[in-house]
Amino acid sequence: MGERAMVDVAPGGSAEEVSLAEIGLRYEVDGEIATITLDRPDKRNAQTFATWSALAQIGENLPQQVRVVVVRGEGPSFSAGIDLRMFTPEGVPGQGSFSSTATLGGAAFDERIAQAQKGFLWLRRPDIVSVAAVQGHAVGAGFQLALACDLRVLADDAKLCMKEPALGLVPDLTGTKPLVDLVGLSRAVEICLTARVVGAQEAARIGLAELVVAPGELMQAVRDLADALLATNRDAATATKRLLQGAQGRTLEEQCAAERQEQMARIRSLFG
Ligand code: CAA
């Protein structure tokens, strides 16, 4: 994928080609590492439907050689969440507002949110490892984007906040499941229903971050992690991630059977 994306943003509207720069995104591929940068620092990397549509397209067109996807934000904040213009009657130019979305029929409404979720879901694919590099605020959709990644490296000034319930909404950008998986139901209820800020040290303590570093060391720490991830065998890494992702939904016996299946394929490909 180049510097442009086909963006289908307005409910019922037609897709239109716009530059990633216009959407506030940068995307670079360097060998086995792809880096997606939310790049609207003056608006604290607020996200729109165009952001999510472009993210989905990046996922669909990810070059085959990519094994690690880094998601980062330019400027002082990872992301201040959804663009608050969505809450105004005027909305975001070309993308409508919540008041226009509210009038959609059930199926169209469902489809609109499903389209947005596509921008987040691919980050869990077994053939890649996604890493969020989070500094400053990660609010609402920003927190959910970090949760959509497999791993989170936080600068020690990171502030995570699930703001949606405070705004009369629910978190709907794929974040509720990873949050519960990571911190447990009680802590997830407490974090979401108070909409409080979780700082970096607490995030690491409760399982929301793999690593906390000084802000100036964030990208080097992510690079070191990516290098370590790239040091393992690609196919074994994919199969192992698939196994780990399925573990919670299986009994021990089912998981053992899944291990046997994956190992048979590995050993046959290595020695067959
Ligand atoms: N949407 C649009 N613009 C935003 C924005 C947002 N979410 N967040 C910040 N901005 C803009 C500000 O309006 C300001 O613009 P101007 O310079 O033109 O006035 C600029 O970014 C800088 O903002 P601040 O001065 O507030 O920056 P800060 O560093 O002092 O504070 C912040 C950062 C704590 C994130 C604060 O900006 C903030 O609280 N933003 C709103 C967060 C929010 O409520 N987001 C929505 C969460 S809900 C969600 O994402 C999902 C959902 O609803 C479905």
Side-chain angles (χ1 to χ4, degrees):
M1 186 170 137
E3 293 299 305
R4 301 181 76 77
M6 288 298 289
V7 173
D8 184 7
V9 285
S14 56
E16 131 188 25
E17 195 182 79
V18 290
S19 72
L20 290 183
E22 276 174 80
I23 296 169
L25 279 178
R26 281 201 331 265
Y27 169 55
E28 288 126 21
V29 177
D30 178 10
E32 294 175 302
I33 304 177
T35 303
I36 300 169
T37 304
L38 303 172
D39 193 17
R40 213 155 60 104
D42 53 320
K43 299 296 177 194
R44 300 299 182 264
N45 302 321
Q47 303 170 34
T48 65
F49 277 96
T51 315
W52 304 326
S53 185
L55 283 176
Q57 281 182 56
I58 289 172
E60 278 159 25
N61 294 291
L62 201 67
Q64 216 263 324
Q65 84 267 14
V66 171
R67 293 184 59 192
V68 174
V69 176
V70 176
V71 181
R72 59 181 295 273
E74 198 61 61
S77 292
F78 177 72
S79 172
I82 196 168
D83 192 314
L84 291 174
R85 287 176 299 172
M86 281 299 290
F87 293 92
T88 65
E90 303 75 35
V92 177
Q95 300 185 47
S97 68
F98 279 131
S99 53
S100 55
T101 304
T103 60
L104 292 174
F109 198 111
D110 192 76
E111 176 57 21
R112 182 142 168 85
I113 298 181
Q115 284 296 334
Q117 291 170 335
K118 273 191 190 161
F120 294 66
L121 281 174
W122 67 272
L123 290 160
R124 293 270 175 194
R125 265 168 41 182
D127 59 320
I128 57 168
V129 181
S130 51
V131 183
V134 180
Q135 81 286 1
H137 289 93
V139 184
F143 188 11
Q144 293 193 71
L145 183 57
L147 284 166
C149 292
D150 295 306
L151 308 174
R152 282 150 294 283
V153 180
L154 267 50
D156 61 20
D157 66 349
K159 296 173 192 66
L160 313 176
C161 172
M162 202 65 94
K163 185 83 174 284
E164 287 83 343
L167 300 172
L169 299 166
V170 300
D172 66 344
L173 294 167
T174 79
T176 54
K177 183 164 172 54
L179 183 64
V180 172
D181 288 346
L182 290 167
V183 304
L185 177 59
S186 305
R187 180 62 71 199
V189 167
E190 184 264 324
I191 287 172
C192 293
L193 273 59
T194 62
R196 74 175 171 90
V197 168
V198 178
Q201 298 302 342
E202 181 188 357
R205 201 172 63 244
I206 64 177
L208 284 173
E210 278 51 60
L211 199 60
V212 175
V213 297
E217 293 167 13
L218 183 60
M219 288 321 295
Q220 187 56 49
V222 169
R223 181 74 214 199
D224 292 346
L225 177 59
D227 288 344
L229 290 163
L230 292 173
T232 53
N233 175 287
R234 177 182 192 139
D235 294 332
T238 301
T240 304
K241 185 173 168 189
R242 208 163 35 224
L243 268 178
L244 296 170
Q245 284 182 316
Q248 272 191 334
R250 296 193 192 106
T251 64
L252 180 59
E253 290 71 23
E254 289 165 347
Q255 184 69 5
C256 288
E259 289 178 358
R260 296 195 295 274
Q261 279 295 316
E262 293 284 11
Q263 195 69 308
M264 186 161 55
R266 292 283 65 243
I267 288 175
R268 282 184 176 158
S269 88
L270 289 173
F271 305 106

